[in-house]
Amino acid sequence: MVYINEFSEVGRDGVATAGGKGAGLGELVRAGVPVPPGFLINTGAYELFVRDNQLAGRIQEYAAVPASATSRDYEEASRQIRALFTGGSMPEEVAAEIRDAYRRLGSREGTGPDSGAETAVAVRSSATAEDLASASFAGQQDTYLNVCGTDVLMDAVINCWGSLWTSRAMAYRAREGIGPDQVRLAVVVQHMVAADAAGVMFTANPATGRRDQIVVAAAWGLGESVVSGAVSTDDIVVEAATGKVVFRRTADKAVMTAYADRGTREEPVPASLRHQPVLDDAAAATLAGYGTRIARHFGSPQDIEWARAGGEFFILQSRPITALPEPAGETPRDWSVPYPKGLYFRASIVEQLPDPLSPLFADLIDGSVSRSLNALMDQAFGKSSLRDGDLGLPAVNGYAYYYYRTAALWRLMGKTPAAVRALIRGDAHMGVQGWRDYSHPRYVRVVESWSAKPLADLTGEELLEGVSALLDAGTVYYTAVQSIIPIATSSELAFQKFYDKFVRQDGDPPAATFLLGYDSQPIRAEKSLFDLAGWSLGVPGLAEAILATPTKSLARAQLSGTPPSGMDHVLWQQWERRFQLHLDRFGHTVYNLDFINPVPADDASPLLDTLKFYLRGQGNDPHRRQELAAARREDSTGRILARLHPARRKAFVRLLRWAQGPAPIREDALADVGLGWPLMRRMLRELGERLVTAGLIADSGDVFWLRHQEVGSAVEFGLAAPGGPAAITGADRPVLAEAVAERKLRWRGQRNATAPQMLPEIRWLQRSLAGMMPEGSQEQQGNTIKGVGASQGRVSAPARVLAGPEDFSLMQPGEVLVARITTPAWTPLFAMASAVVTDVGGPLSHGSIVAREYGIPAVLGTGVATRRITSGQRIEVDGGAGTVTIVQPAQG
């Protein structure tokens, strides 16, 4: 049997024998790029070594690490397996082929026995589960550099085989669902390039996802330290089409990796080179040209390792870039405001709008909010308080800001007493009574009225009218809900201050204890889901079928009404009927008020992940948790009342009852903001389908990326008529496809920005208003991040940073939930979380109220948590001190 292959003999269809790296090298040779000469020891040699040394059974035994394994378990299994390899002996038939191939490589390079020199080679792993499009497995096995001599080479090959079983590789494969019996290892042996410079190259920008840019990291010396991140690098961005350098950052390169007698060492960079660019523009363009050729050959963006010796480039390996983001535009840095003589604030409604706005929502929401705020202000302050243009919700770089004209702010401040009186009276939309008796019923009537109309029969004008009517109703409702927040805030703060100053003694519980254990809409939704899981566990075979079905498949089946593949039809009907009842009650809660974002009624995946959590027996019974909280509340209240003087007891009771009322009502009110969102999104999708048929857009979801004027014009010209809309002919692609793509690109770039909380950025005013802002300072440095301590307790656990519901499935029990904001729709994740950290929020925001109900620490309003913390990092959350400390870096 042949155990040695030339690189030209293998390719992308030879991963089973050459491994991912070896197959990639074969393709690089085919692509005609310069590859250092060498040879491949294929997986047949690995299998013969394992068989001859009788290792297979013991490898499987040691590698059978349970799902609950810790890093220490993997380290012990790795130590035992690698000892098997170092104690084994190389089969002679493999050794003979390696010696012959090594001799021929030396002769080719003018080294070897005949020249009195030994060939220096690099020995690299090439696993069959490596350098794949779905997962790179980069850095999981070992590499041995500057290997000289036959005996040393044999040891390096055996050690390389053993590195298939490093603890990090075993844990990585377990996370990717690859069993220990599914992997083999080939070994790449290559002539060592005497590199004076080396680095990595990405044929798409990994930060922005742009496929028209090539990013190069370059350092002096050998490239291994660049790959590992051990040395500083120059960063260069090259325009792929032209080779033009569009960005350059030249680093202070203090150390470099160089050859030692055996292996490598780090040594200082010569003073003359420390601040010099490693590659000039011409060299960067030449290297980028190789990158373009390689990406074209593989048909996908590539992560490439390169070296340069004597002015010539060599390509050491290439693998697909995994997890490449969608292309993004430039991150905005200019925060000029559209209207002067006013102030812009990221507060209140924009707490529910953490991302840049989609174009259609931005066009509609500004006028909708202006109308609802004007109505509320007129009611609170008097009819003559506001003038046209005094307030609105414009977008700056895509982000929503409340805008108040300076003159209007002064006029309103002078009429604050009238607003307080209106709030106390509960006029129309104002206060708890106004919400209960007027705002909520009115919103329900609007939704019911439009729900009664079959969407397929509505004209384009009627669909657009319905979207505007529902959005206006939701905006008016949300504006009314804002009048409940001051009541909840003032009542809780008044009780807390009185209790802490005049009542609390050593050993007494915190003030929050007296406000817990009450029902609210998010808690009722949690209990409903928990009860559904309990019912499912009682139906033979149902829980097992749900757990065995991928979450996305379950969600799609629920929308279509057809059972997923492999699930019993009768079981499915029983479960689907009950789950739909849950969605009918709670499926309208919003993750983000921008209607481009699905609600649970559209995509139930996040709820289904939580349901599976309960089906596995994880989490606490919310009924029992609420009972215990209520019992603690009543017991603590009784003990406090028993010792207080009558006058102080009377004040305590009055303030306590005042504080206990609004908090759950606030949650009830906020949970229903999205009542009209499922219908509104269906209307927009219906419009989108018609515009697809008309040849205007490529996908029904692209309707969200249109401007309101574009949708209105399409409706006016009959392109959104029911049944068979008019169609645009003669175009080779949808008319607005390019505009939609450009807007998505710009939106993704805007999403990478950090929106200032107030504009213009007037430092003294920002400092004076800091306590009123929902976010902390965005200039925090060091490992400790400060926020608002919203729920007491201290936890040290791995972080899980979630951008939105699309990430909910990544949450693991016991992790710290880190997010920009949390709305009522995020509540299911609190059952899994050990603590909660947010960028936006305060002591009376949704996150704090729910965290206290769950008895987990919460630090909110940090301003920077999602940018400073990475998933996997161990962090310590101190809800009492309001701090988050980064304890250790993220694990690779």
Side-chain angles (χ1 to χ4, degrees):
M1 181 175 179
V2 176
Y3 298 104
I4 301 297
N5 295 106
E6 296 291 331
F7 295 149
S8 60
E9 296 175 343
V10 297
R12 68 185 74 187
D13 57 350
V15 172
T17 58
K21 190 179 282 94
L25 284 169
E27 291 298 331
L28 289 173
V29 170
R30 285 179 172 79
V33 297
V35 174
F39 57 88
L40 176 83
I41 306 169
N42 60 44
T43 57
Y46 171 88
E47 292 170 341
L48 181 62
F49 179 90
V50 170
R51 185 167 63 249
D52 276 12
N53 289 280
Q54 300 179 342
L55 304 184
R58 281 181 289 172
I59 288 174
Q60 295 304 312
E61 176 188 347
Y62 294 144
V65 180
S68 59
T70 64
S71 59
R72 185 171 299 177
D73 295 324
Y74 282 112
E75 288 166 5
E76 177 59 21
S78 173
R79 184 190 63 77
Q80 292 172 314
I81 296 174
R82 297 188 76 172
L84 297 177
F85 279 84
T86 55
S89 58
M90 179 72 76
E92 179 51 36
E93 52 264 59
V94 175
E97 291 196 24
I98 293 175
R99 283 192 292 267
D100 183 56
Y102 182 57
R103 180 186 56 76
R104 284 187 279 109
L105 179 62
S107 299
R108 200 184 326 172
E109 297 305 308
T111 59
D114 295 338
S115 66
E118 294 179 324
T119 306
V121 295
V123 179
R124 304 175 188 272
S125 64
S126 180
T128 53
E130 180 180 75
D131 291 358
L132 307 178
S134 58
S136 74
F137 289 80
Q140 302 307 311
Q141 285 82 227
D142 292 343
T143 292
Y144 300 89
L145 301 178
N146 200 19
V147 174
C148 298
T150 304
D151 293 340
V152 180
L153 173 59
M154 296 296 178
D155 290 341
V157 170
I158 292 174
N159 287 330
C160 208
W161 283 334
S163 75
L164 183 62
W165 304 99
T166 61
S167 59
R168 61 185 181 272
M170 293 170 68
Y172 196 116
R173 290 195 294 266
R175 289 196 299 271
E176 296 293 327
I178 297 174
D181 59 340
Q182 296 176 266
V183 289
R184 303 289 184 272
L185 193 79
V187 176
V188 170
V189 179
Q190 274 182 297
H191 176 72
M192 281 289 292
V193 176
D196 47 53
V200 295
M201 169 171 54
F202 298 94
T203 64
N205 193 319
T208 66
R210 291 184 59 168
R211 275 65 168 175
D212 59 347
Q213 292 182 338
I214 291 175
V215 179
V216 176
W220 299 116
L222 304 179
E224 293 303 313
S225 53
V226 177
V227 176
S228 66
V231 299
S232 298
T233 63
D234 292 354
D235 298 321
I236 308 167
V237 179
V238 182
E239 194 175 75
T242 64
K244 179 183 177 182
V245 172
V246 294
F247 172 83
R248 176 186 290 278
R249 185 189 67 84
T250 302
D252 177 4
K253 299 169 284 293
V255 295
M256 60 190 287
T257 304
Y259 288 124
D261 291 339
R262 286 290 185 266
T264 62
R265 67 172 184 269
E266 283 193 358
E267 60 183 37
V269 172
S272 62
L273 296 179
R274 278 188 62 164
H275 300 283
Q276 288 298 311
V278 175
L279 301 177
D280 61 21
D281 284 7
T286 299
L287 180 60
Y290 285 129
T292 299
R293 187 192 304 182
I294 292 167
R296 187 180 300 121
H297 179 83
F298 282 100
S300 65
Q302 296 289 300
D303 169 1
I304 299 164
E305 293 181 27
W306 59 271
R308 193 185 192 202
E312 297 296 322
F313 285 107
F314 295 89
I315 304 302
L316 307 181
Q317 70 177 72
S318 182
R319 64 169 68 93
I321 301 177
T322 57
L324 186 67
E326 289 293 317
E330 295 298 322
T331 301
R333 292 176 174 82
D334 177 13
W335 293 89
S336 302
V337 297
Y339 314 123
K341 298 181 180 179
L343 292 177
Y344 296 71
F345 298 100
R346 291 275 297 161
S348 190
I349 192 173
V350 297
E351 292 182 35
Q352 315 294 317
L353 294 167
D355 294 329
L357 306 184
S358 60
L360 184 57
F361 184 82
D363 288 348
L364 292 173
I365 195 65
D366 187 10
S368 185
V369 166
S370 298
R371 288 189 293 273
S372 67
L373 277 177
N374 270 290
L376 184 68
M377 295 292 189
D378 283 349
Q379 183 179 325
F381 295 102
K383 291 288 184 183
S384 61
S385 300
L386 292 172
R387 300 165 190 168
D388 287 344
D390 273 352
L391 56 81
L393 194 80
V396 182
N397 287 327
Y399 288 89
Y401 280 85
Y402 272 129
Y403 165 73
Y404 295 91
R405 184 180 287 165
T406 308
L409 281 175
W410 288 112
R411 289 198 304 274
L412 294 177
M413 288 172 63
K415 297 189 177 184
T416 300
V420 173
R421 288 193 296 272
L423 187 63
I424 294 172
R425 290 194 307 268
D427 291 352
H429 287 291
M430 302 286 280
V432 173
Q433 187 172 343
W435 162 75
R436 181 182 292 118
D437 297 341
Y438 184 80
S439 303
H440 193 271
R442 179 185 179 278
Y443 190 16
V444 170
R445 287 195 299 272
V446 173
V447 176
E448 289 177 343
S449 171
W450 282 98
S451 296
K453 303 175 182 182
L455 299 189
D457 297 339
L458 296 180
T459 65
E461 291 86 347
E462 289 170 328
L463 285 172
L464 204 51
E465 178 191 351
V467 169
S468 296
L470 289 167
L471 183 61
D472 279 358
T475 305
V476 169
Y477 176 82
Y478 187 91
T479 304
V481 171
Q482 299 309 295
S483 70
I484 297 176
I485 294 176
I487 300 172
T489 302
S490 57
S491 62
E492 182 169 334
L493 290 177
F495 169 72
Q496 180 181 330
K497 288 186 177 298
F498 178 84
Y499 174 74
D500 287 343
K501 186 171 184 178
F502 299 111
V503 176
R504 190 175 185 183
Q505 298 177 358
D506 289 344
D508 285 344
T513 301
F514 300 91
L515 308 178
L516 302 179
Y518 290 101
D519 235 0
S520 66
Q521 191 76 337
I523 302 301
R524 286 189 287 272
E526 180 203 4
K527 291 190 291 189
S528 171
L529 203 61
F530 180 84
D531 291 344
L532 178 59
W535 174 84
S536 301
L537 287 166
V539 178
L542 180 56
E544 293 81 0
I546 294 172
L547 288 171
T549 305
T551 299
K552 287 295 183 184
S553 298
L554 280 174
R556 286 193 295 268
Q558 187 276 326
L559 279 178
S560 66
T562 57
S565 176
M567 185 176 285
D568 178 80
H569 188 77
V570 175
L571 279 181
W572 166 257
Q573 283 187 323
Q574 292 177 334
W575 179 83
E576 194 273 337
R577 187 164 52 248
R578 283 171 169 80
F579 186 59
Q580 187 58 52
L581 289 174
H582 175 87
L583 290 178
D584 289 344
R585 289 187 64 194
F586 307 109
H588 58 267
T589 51
V590 293
Y591 305 101
N592 181 320
L593 283 173
D594 189 338
F595 49 46
I596 197 172
N597 298 280
V599 294
D602 302 313
D603 181 1
S605 299
L607 293 184
L608 292 167
D609 283 328
T610 305
L611 181 77
K612 289 184 173 183
F613 172 73
Y614 287 137
L615 289 176
R616 296 187 188 101
Q618 299 170 305
N620 298 317
D621 180 346
H623 298 279
R624 180 60 178 159
R625 187 192 66 235
Q626 189 176 28
E627 290 170 2
L628 291 173
R632 283 193 298 270
R633 180 190 72 219
E634 295 305 316
D635 179 67
S636 299
T637 302
R639 286 189 290 104
I640 295 293
L641 291 176
R643 75 162 192 252
L644 290 181
H645 181 276
R648 188 163 293 184
R649 181 168 61 238
K650 184 176 181 180
F652 174 83
V653 170
R654 185 185 303 118
L655 289 171
L656 176 61
R657 299 302 176 229
W658 184 35
Q660 286 174 337
I665 291 174
R666 174 190 179 279
E667 290 299 292
D668 287 345
L670 278 174
D672 277 352
V673 168
L675 273 175
W677 262 241
L679 179 57
M680 189 169 16
R681 282 179 49 80
R682 289 199 298 273
M683 286 178 164
L684 287 167
R685 286 282 186 180
E686 176 68 25
L687 269 173
E689 292 289 353
R690 297 181 190 181
L691 297 182
V692 169
T693 302
L696 205 64
I697 54 179
D699 180 84
S700 63
D702 288 346
V703 69
F704 298 109
W705 298 96
L706 300 183
R707 310 296 332 189
H708 184 231
Q709 183 179 0
E710 292 168 340
V711 180
S713 296
V715 166
E716 182 180 346
F717 286 105
L719 300 180
I728 299 172
T729 58
D732 59 352
R733 59 182 306 203
V735 173
L736 292 177
E738 187 173 339
V740 166
E742 191 276 330
R743 290 165 193 170
K744 290 179 179 179
L745 186 80
R746 183 169 63 248
W747 182 90
R748 286 190 287 265
Q750 291 171 336
R751 199 183 190 196
N752 292 328
T754 300
Q757 295 183 70
M758 188 182 78
L759 293 172
E761 295 186 82
I762 306 169
R763 295 298 180 185
W764 69 266
L765 187 56
Q766 287 177 318
R767 286 193 295 270
S768 64
L769 296 177
M772 302 170 60
M773 294 291 105
E775 288 188 70
S777 171
Q778 296 171 352
E779 299 176 358
Q780 299 190 55
Q781 302 295 325
N783 288 334
T784 297
I785 300 168
K786 295 181 179 179
V788 176
S791 181
Q792 295 194 0
R794 181 181 294 173
V795 161
S796 179
R800 178 61 60 185
V801 183
L802 303 180
E806 68 274 12
D807 295 338
F808 280 14
S809 62
L810 303 176
M811 186 77 187
Q812 297 298 312
E815 293 180 327
V816 177
L817 167 59
V818 182
R820 284 281 296 144
I821 59 166
T822 63
T823 65
W826 290 67
T827 301
L829 292 185
F830 284 62
M832 302 186 198
S834 59
V836 177
V837 177
T838 67
D839 290 345
V840 178
L844 289 174
S845 64
H846 164 79
S848 65
I849 292 171
V850 178
R852 294 196 303 244
E853 289 285 352
Y854 279 77
I856 58 177
V859 176
L860 310 182
T862 64
V864 297
T866 58
R867 292 185 294 280
R868 294 286 311 284
I869 298 170
T870 304
S871 289
Q873 284 182 315
R874 180 164 289 275
I875 60 175
E876 184 177 282
V877 181
D878 190 332
T883 59
V884 181
T885 302
I886 301 173
V887 178
Q888 68 179 41
Q891 299 301 308

